[in-house]
Amino acid sequence: MGIIAFAVVLFLLVQAKFILISLAIAIILFSLTSDAINSIQSMKIGNLRVTNWVASVLAVALIASGLLTMAGLVISQINTVLTTTLAYTEDAQRAIARMFAWMGEDVEASVLATVRSIEVSGYLRSAAGQAGTLLSQVVLIILFVGFLFAERVWFGTKLEKLMSDEAQARRVSAIIGSIIRRVNRYLLVKTLISAVTGGLIFALLSVFNLQFALAMALLTFVLNFIPSVGSIIATLVVTLVAYIQVAEPSTAILIFVIAGMIQFLLGNVIDPMLMGRTLRLSSFGIIISLAFWGAVWGVPGMFLAVPFMVAVMIVCSHIPTARPVAVLLSREGLPEEEFPLPQSADTDTAEDDGYAKAVGAE
């Protein structure tokens, strides 16, 4: 029965991925801005206090404008790349073949023939189709965010009614708050690091007067949200684009070294310092999560793999029967508990005090 249930859930995840991806992104955006909404509601303009619906409308408007601006920027860069890619197709094929020249002329000719057999136009049409899908998905995300803000006022009441127990509702609320805090910090740090990395890549390519500087900066910004492999892919793509344009191995190698140093410094030195003990996730678990969600939802699933893994680890760490899963997903095998697990009915009073402190600390 477990295998059948897993297969059914997997089938539904694949079939409904467009809606589910939009919903997951909407929930993340909602959680990122919910604290800001609470701060806006506490503000006063003279004798007037900002009401909940006004703060919610402002938040939805800001999220919508930000998403539409980002989507427009991405689509414009995709169109720029697509319109100029065909002009570089022949140069790109020869540049890739020259990378294998040291293995002999036969190998170089074989690689060139293989590269030329690739249908570039088919990939370009697919990319153009993805760009069109992006705009419709952004609109759906905005709708989801709007409805989430409309429901946020009654969430606590609904949770109490659903649990039929005030203490249990506080426990669930505390777990949700823990997930939101960790995911929010992870996303904020990642956004900052990715933005700085993308800006430096833009400056690097601009110094060498190369085309696609903005497109490569945007690609680097996006790929840096994929743990472990994203920065490697971004560095290789930037190097390949530079090599195709300059056709000089020494310049391409210099760009590769500088881009690699930028990624290493920001990703392996600055990022862990800012992230601190926020995640405490197993590196192997992150790779498995990337592989699973990448297979189910493609590239968007890889972006959402870490937030999903954080949520699963925190939830499992507070369920005694599922705690071994949390141990496997944690870095040191010791998933951090932000409040105690319930043991028995005799200890409910003491536990409720602990949960009240945890909720108050939030």
Side-chain angles (χ1 to χ4, degrees):
M1 291 297 294
I3 294 174
I4 294 174
F6 177 77
V8 171
V9 170
L10 191 61
F11 174 78
L12 294 177
L13 286 174
V14 173
Q15 294 301 314
K17 66 179 182 179
F18 183 82
I19 295 177
L20 294 177
I21 290 172
S22 302
L23 179 60
I25 296 174
I27 292 174
I28 290 174
L29 292 174
F30 169 75
S31 66
L32 281 171
T33 54
S34 59
D35 291 337
I37 297 303
N38 293 332
S39 300
I40 293 174
Q41 283 184 252
S42 63
M43 295 171 56
K44 286 186 177 181
I45 303 175
N47 294 326
L48 299 177
R49 183 183 294 273
V50 179
T51 60
N52 175 69
W53 71 269
V54 172
S56 299
V57 169
L58 288 175
V60 173
L62 289 174
I63 291 173
S65 60
L67 287 177
L68 291 174
T69 302
M70 181 64 71
L73 181 61
V74 170
I75 291 174
S76 66
Q77 290 304 308
I78 289 176
N79 290 333
T80 300
V81 172
L82 293 181
T83 53
T84 55
T85 295
L86 293 176
Y88 280 99
T89 300
E90 183 66 25
D91 294 337
Q93 293 171 347
R94 293 188 178 278
I96 293 173
R98 280 199 301 271
M99 295 172 62
F100 299 87
W102 60 276
M103 300 178 67
E105 295 182 358
D106 294 340
V107 175
E108 182 180 358
S110 177
V111 171
L112 181 60
T114 303
V115 173
R116 284 178 172 173
S117 66
I118 299 175
E119 290 291 338
V120 178
S121 60
Y123 289 102
L124 295 181
R125 285 194 298 268
S126 177
Q130 292 295 327
T133 305
L134 176 64
L135 188 59
S136 60
Q137 191 156 37
V138 166
V139 174
L140 186 58
I141 291 171
I142 293 171
L143 290 175
F144 279 142
V145 170
F147 284 110
L148 285 172
F149 274 109
E151 291 288 329
R152 67 187 293 269
V153 178
W154 309 107
F155 178 74
T157 304
K158 289 183 177 181
L159 189 60
E160 272 189 39
K161 299 294 184 183
L162 184 64
M163 296 289 106
S164 300
D165 180 5
E166 185 178 349
Q168 187 67 19
R170 290 202 305 272
R171 295 185 182 104
V172 174
S173 179
I175 292 175
I176 294 174
S178 175
I179 294 172
I180 289 175
R181 279 197 308 276
R182 294 197 189 187
V183 172
N184 284 359
R185 181 174 178 82
Y186 165 76
L187 291 175
L188 289 174
V189 171
K190 271 295 181 183
T191 301
L192 175 62
I193 295 297
S194 299
V196 174
T197 306
L200 292 176
I201 294 298
F202 175 80
L204 173 64
L205 296 182
S206 298
V207 167
F208 287 92
N209 295 320
L210 299 178
Q211 289 184 329
F212 308 128
L214 183 57
M216 291 300 102
L218 187 61
L219 180 69
T220 301
F221 172 79
V222 173
L223 288 179
N224 269 27
F225 281 89
I226 301 177
S228 304
V229 299
S231 59
I232 298 174
I233 296 174
T235 303
L236 293 177
V237 171
V238 168
T239 304
L240 180 60
V241 169
Y243 178 65
I244 291 172
Q245 294 184 56
V246 298
E248 295 179 5
S250 58
T251 304
I253 291 174
L254 178 61
I255 292 174
F256 172 77
V257 170
I258 297 175
M261 290 175 61
I262 292 172
Q263 292 281 8
F264 177 81
L265 179 63
L266 293 174
N268 295 321
V269 179
I270 306 299
D271 193 339
M273 290 173 56
L274 296 178
M275 200 73 71
R277 297 165 60 88
T278 300
L279 294 184
R280 302 169 61 88
L281 296 177
S282 166
S283 299
F284 182 71
I286 291 176
I287 296 299
I288 295 298
S289 182
L290 284 174
F292 175 78
W293 289 109
V296 174
W297 284 352
V299 175
M302 300 178 74
F303 289 104
L304 298 170
V306 171
F308 286 165
M309 190 175 171
V310 171
V312 170
M313 187 186 75
I314 293 176
V315 171
C316 291
S317 67
H318 295 93
I319 301 176
T321 55
R323 186 169 173 78
V325 176
V327 171
L328 292 175
L329 294 180
S330 63
R331 182 183 303 168
E332 302 92 353
L334 298 170
E336 182 179 352
E337 293 181 12
E338 298 192 3
F339 43 88
L341 283 165
Q343 299 294 333
S344 64
D346 297 335
T347 59
D348 278 346
T349 302
E351 289 162 1
D352 290 347
D353 293 339
Y355 279 93
K357 292 179 180 177
V359 175
E362 294 177 10

mmCIF file of all heavy atoms in Angstrom, residues 12-36:
data_model
loop_
_atom_site.group_PDB
_atom_site.id
_atom_site.type_symbol
_atom_site.label_atom_id
_atom_site.label_comp_id
_atom_site.label_asym_id
_atom_site.label_seq_id
_atom_site.Cartn_x
_atom_site.Cartn_y
_atom_site.Cartn_z
ATOM 1 N N LEU A 12 0.795 12.355 -9.423
ATOM 2 C CA LEU A 12 0.099 13.627 -9.281
ATOM 3 C C LEU A 12 1.074 14.801 -9.266
ATOM 4 O O LEU A 12 0.784 15.867 -9.809
ATOM 5 C CB LEU A 12 -0.738 13.616 -7.998
ATOM 6 C CG LEU A 12 -1.912 12.625 -7.973
ATOM 7 C CD1 LEU A 12 -2.600 12.657 -6.617
ATOM 8 C CD2 LEU A 12 -2.909 12.951 -9.080
ATOM 9 N N LEU A 13 2.256 14.607 -8.631
ATOM 10 C CA LEU A 13 3.258 15.671 -8.622
ATOM 11 C C LEU A 13 3.722 16.016 -10.030
ATOM 12 O O LEU A 13 3.928 17.186 -10.360
ATOM 13 C CB LEU A 13 4.462 15.248 -7.768
ATOM 14 C CG LEU A 13 4.280 15.242 -6.250
ATOM 15 C CD1 LEU A 13 5.515 14.657 -5.579
ATOM 16 C CD2 LEU A 13 4.017 16.646 -5.727
ATOM 17 N N VAL A 14 3.884 15.000 -10.859
ATOM 18 C CA VAL A 14 4.348 15.235 -12.227
ATOM 19 C C VAL A 14 3.247 15.862 -13.072
ATOM 20 O O VAL A 14 3.483 16.819 -13.818
ATOM 21 C CB VAL A 14 4.837 13.915 -12.851
ATOM 22 C CG1 VAL A 14 5.171 14.116 -14.332
ATOM 23 C CG2 VAL A 14 6.056 13.390 -12.110
ATOM 24 N N GLN A 15 2.018 15.338 -12.943
ATOM 25 C CA GLN A 15 0.930 15.808 -13.796
ATOM 26 C C GLN A 15 0.497 17.228 -13.444
ATOM 27 O O GLN A 15 0.087 17.986 -14.321
ATOM 28 C CB GLN A 15 -0.265 14.851 -13.688
ATOM 29 C CG GLN A 15 0.009 13.474 -14.248
ATOM 30 C CD GLN A 15 0.388 13.515 -15.725
ATOM 31 O OE1 GLN A 15 -0.253 14.194 -16.529
ATOM 32 N NE2 GLN A 15 1.439 12.800 -16.100
ATOM 33 N N ALA A 16 0.550 17.563 -12.161
ATOM 34 C CA ALA A 16 0.085 18.885 -11.721
ATOM 35 C C ALA A 16 1.250 19.814 -11.392
ATOM 36 O O ALA A 16 1.100 20.735 -10.584
ATOM 37 C CB ALA A 16 -0.835 18.740 -10.511
ATOM 38 N N LYS A 17 2.397 19.603 -12.018
ATOM 39 C CA LYS A 17 3.589 20.343 -11.612
ATOM 40 C C LYS A 17 3.470 21.836 -11.885
ATOM 41 O O LYS A 17 4.002 22.653 -11.133
ATOM 42 C CB LYS A 17 4.837 19.774 -12.291
ATOM 43 C CG LYS A 17 4.887 19.941 -13.804
ATOM 44 C CD LYS A 17 6.201 19.356 -14.337
ATOM 45 C CE LYS A 17 6.315 19.539 -15.842
ATOM 46 N NZ LYS A 17 7.606 18.987 -16.346
ATOM 47 N N PHE A 18 2.772 22.236 -12.952
ATOM 48 C CA PHE A 18 2.642 23.663 -13.259
ATOM 49 C C PHE A 18 1.941 24.390 -12.111
ATOM 50 O O PHE A 18 2.404 25.436 -11.637
ATOM 51 C CB PHE A 18 1.864 23.851 -14.560
ATOM 52 C CG PHE A 18 1.734 25.288 -14.990
ATOM 53 C CD1 PHE A 18 2.760 25.908 -15.672
ATOM 54 C CD2 PHE A 18 0.588 26.016 -14.707
ATOM 55 C CE1 PHE A 18 2.657 27.233 -16.075
ATOM 56 C CE2 PHE A 18 0.468 27.334 -15.104
ATOM 57 C CZ PHE A 18 1.505 27.951 -15.783
ATOM 58 N N ILE A 19 0.831 23.833 -11.642
ATOM 59 C CA ILE A 19 0.080 24.457 -10.554
ATOM 60 C C ILE A 19 0.837 24.336 -9.239
ATOM 61 O O ILE A 19 0.912 25.301 -8.456
ATOM 62 C CB ILE A 19 -1.314 23.817 -10.439
ATOM 63 C CG1 ILE A 19 -2.129 24.102 -11.701
ATOM 64 C CG2 ILE A 19 -2.055 24.334 -9.207
ATOM 65 C CD1 ILE A 19 -3.490 23.444 -11.721
ATOM 66 N N LEU A 20 1.425 23.168 -8.970
ATOM 67 C CA LEU A 20 2.099 22.950 -7.688
ATOM 68 C C LEU A 20 3.359 23.798 -7.555
ATOM 69 O O LEU A 20 3.663 24.304 -6.470
ATOM 70 C CB LEU A 20 2.434 21.462 -7.522
ATOM 71 C CG LEU A 20 1.226 20.525 -7.385
ATOM 72 C CD1 LEU A 20 1.680 19.079 -7.292
ATOM 73 C CD2 LEU A 20 0.404 20.897 -6.145
ATOM 74 N N ILE A 21 4.100 23.954 -8.640
ATOM 75 C CA ILE A 21 5.287 24.818 -8.594
ATOM 76 C C ILE A 21 4.870 26.254 -8.317
ATOM 77 O O ILE A 21 5.492 26.953 -7.500
ATOM 78 C CB ILE A 21 6.074 24.713 -9.921
ATOM 79 C CG1 ILE A 21 6.748 23.343 -10.038
ATOM 80 C CG2 ILE A 21 7.130 25.812 -10.007
ATOM 81 C CD1 ILE A 21 7.372 23.086 -11.390
ATOM 82 N N SER A 22 3.826 26.717 -8.984
ATOM 83 C CA SER A 22 3.337 28.078 -8.752
ATOM 84 C C SER A 22 2.880 28.256 -7.312
ATOM 85 O O SER A 22 3.163 29.281 -6.673
ATOM 86 C CB SER A 22 2.180 28.386 -9.710
ATOM 87 O OG SER A 22 2.587 28.249 -11.057
ATOM 88 N N LEU A 23 2.191 27.249 -6.768
ATOM 89 C CA LEU A 23 1.718 27.330 -5.389
ATOM 90 C C LEU A 23 2.879 27.346 -4.407
ATOM 91 O O LEU A 23 2.875 28.119 -3.439
ATOM 92 C CB LEU A 23 0.792 26.146 -5.094
ATOM 93 C CG LEU A 23 0.211 26.064 -3.676
ATOM 94 C CD1 LEU A 23 -0.610 27.300 -3.359
ATOM 95 C CD2 LEU A 23 -0.627 24.807 -3.517
ATOM 96 N N ALA A 24 3.893 26.500 -4.640
ATOM 97 C CA ALA A 24 5.055 26.463 -3.745
ATOM 98 C C ALA A 24 5.792 27.800 -3.746
ATOM 99 O O ALA A 24 6.175 28.312 -2.679
ATOM 100 C CB ALA A 24 5.996 25.332 -4.163
ATOM 101 N N ILE A 25 5.991 28.389 -4.915
ATOM 102 C CA ILE A 25 6.661 29.691 -4.988
ATOM 103 C C ILE A 25 5.825 30.766 -4.316
ATOM 104 O O ILE A 25 6.343 31.648 -3.620
ATOM 105 C CB ILE A 25 6.953 30.058 -6.456
ATOM 106 C CG1 ILE A 25 7.950 29.058 -7.059
ATOM 107 C CG2 ILE A 25 7.517 31.471 -6.566
ATOM 108 C CD1 ILE A 25 8.187 29.254 -8.540
ATOM 109 N N ALA A 26 4.498 30.694 -4.496
ATOM 110 C CA ALA A 26 3.612 31.668 -3.869
ATOM 111 C C ALA A 26 3.679 31.578 -2.347
ATOM 112 O O ALA A 26 3.699 32.597 -1.647
ATOM 113 C CB ALA A 26 2.178 31.458 -4.348
ATOM 114 N N ILE A 27 3.730 30.366 -1.818
ATOM 115 C CA ILE A 27 3.828 30.188 -0.358
ATOM 116 C C ILE A 27 5.138 30.759 0.167
ATOM 117 O O ILE A 27 5.180 31.408 1.221
ATOM 118 C CB ILE A 27 3.688 28.699 0.005
ATOM 119 C CG1 ILE A 27 2.253 28.218 -0.283
ATOM 120 C CG2 ILE A 27 4.037 28.452 1.466
ATOM 121 C CD1 ILE A 27 2.057 26.733 -0.100
ATOM 122 N N ILE A 28 6.226 30.543 -0.571
ATOM 123 C CA ILE A 28 7.520 31.074 -0.151
ATOM 124 C C ILE A 28 7.507 32.602 -0.166
ATOM 125 O O ILE A 28 7.972 33.258 0.781
ATOM 126 C CB ILE A 28 8.636 30.532 -1.063
ATOM 127 C CG1 ILE A 28 8.843 29.031 -0.795
ATOM 128 C CG2 ILE A 28 9.939 31.282 -0.832
ATOM 129 C CD1 ILE A 28 9.826 28.370 -1.729
ATOM 130 N N LEU A 29 6.956 33.194 -1.223
ATOM 131 C CA LEU A 29 6.870 34.659 -1.287
ATOM 132 C C LEU A 29 5.969 35.200 -0.184
ATOM 133 O O LEU A 29 6.257 36.247 0.412
ATOM 134 C CB LEU A 29 6.344 35.091 -2.659
ATOM 135 C CG LEU A 29 7.269 34.848 -3.854
ATOM 136 C CD1 LEU A 29 6.571 35.193 -5.147
ATOM 137 C CD2 LEU A 29 8.563 35.636 -3.709
ATOM 138 N N PHE A 30 4.893 34.493 0.100
ATOM 139 C CA PHE A 30 3.985 34.904 1.171
ATOM 140 C C PHE A 30 4.692 34.880 2.525
ATOM 141 O O PHE A 30 4.571 35.812 3.326
ATOM 142 C CB PHE A 30 2.771 33.982 1.190
ATOM 143 C CG PHE A 30 1.896 34.137 2.392
ATOM 144 C CD1 PHE A 30 1.047 35.226 2.516
ATOM 145 C CD2 PHE A 30 1.931 33.200 3.418
ATOM 146 C CE1 PHE A 30 0.244 35.376 3.638
ATOM 147 C CE2 PHE A 30 1.134 33.340 4.535
ATOM 148 C CZ PHE A 30 0.283 34.432 4.648
ATOM 149 N N SER A 31 5.456 33.815 2.785
ATOM 150 C CA SER A 31 6.165 33.716 4.065
ATOM 151 C C SER A 31 7.261 34.770 4.185
ATOM 152 O O SER A 31 7.528 35.284 5.272
ATOM 153 C CB SER A 31 6.766 32.313 4.223
ATOM 154 O OG SER A 31 7.788 32.083 3.270
ATOM 155 N N LEU A 32 7.899 35.114 3.037
ATOM 156 C CA LEU A 32 8.950 36.127 3.073
ATOM 157 C C LEU A 32 8.404 37.510 3.429
ATOM 158 O O LEU A 32 9.096 38.310 4.065
ATOM 159 C CB LEU A 32 9.652 36.190 1.716
ATOM 160 C CG LEU A 32 10.698 35.122 1.414
ATOM 161 C CD1 LEU A 32 11.128 35.181 -0.037
ATOM 162 C CD2 LEU A 32 11.900 35.258 2.331
ATOM 163 N N THR A 33 7.174 37.787 3.016
ATOM 164 C CA THR A 33 6.618 39.126 3.213
ATOM 165 C C THR A 33 5.642 39.220 4.375
ATOM 166 O O THR A 33 5.215 40.326 4.719
ATOM 167 C CB THR A 33 5.897 39.586 1.934
ATOM 168 O OG1 THR A 33 4.929 38.586 1.555
ATOM 169 C CG2 THR A 33 6.878 39.777 0.799
ATOM 170 N N SER A 34 5.269 38.095 4.996
ATOM 171 C CA SER A 34 4.282 38.144 6.075
ATOM 172 C C SER A 34 4.795 38.944 7.270
ATOM 173 O O SER A 34 4.041 39.711 7.892
ATOM 174 C CB SER A 34 3.891 36.729 6.510
ATOM 175 O OG SER A 34 5.033 36.015 6.953
ATOM 176 N N ASP A 35 6.082 38.794 7.612
ATOM 177 C CA ASP A 35 6.647 39.565 8.718
ATOM 178 C C ASP A 35 6.657 41.059 8.404
ATOM 179 O O ASP A 35 6.407 41.897 9.277
ATOM 180 C CB ASP A 35 8.068 39.093 9.031
ATOM 181 C CG ASP A 35 8.089 37.694 9.638
ATOM 182 O OD1 ASP A 35 7.048 37.294 10.201
ATOM 183 O OD2 ASP A 35 9.120 37.017 9.546
ATOM 184 N N ALA A 36 6.950 41.377 7.129
ATOM 185 C CA ALA A 36 6.929 42.789 6.735
ATOM 186 C C ALA A 36 5.520 43.366 6.848
ATOM 187 O O ALA A 36 5.340 44.527 7.249
ATOM 188 C CB ALA A 36 7.449 42.943 5.307
#
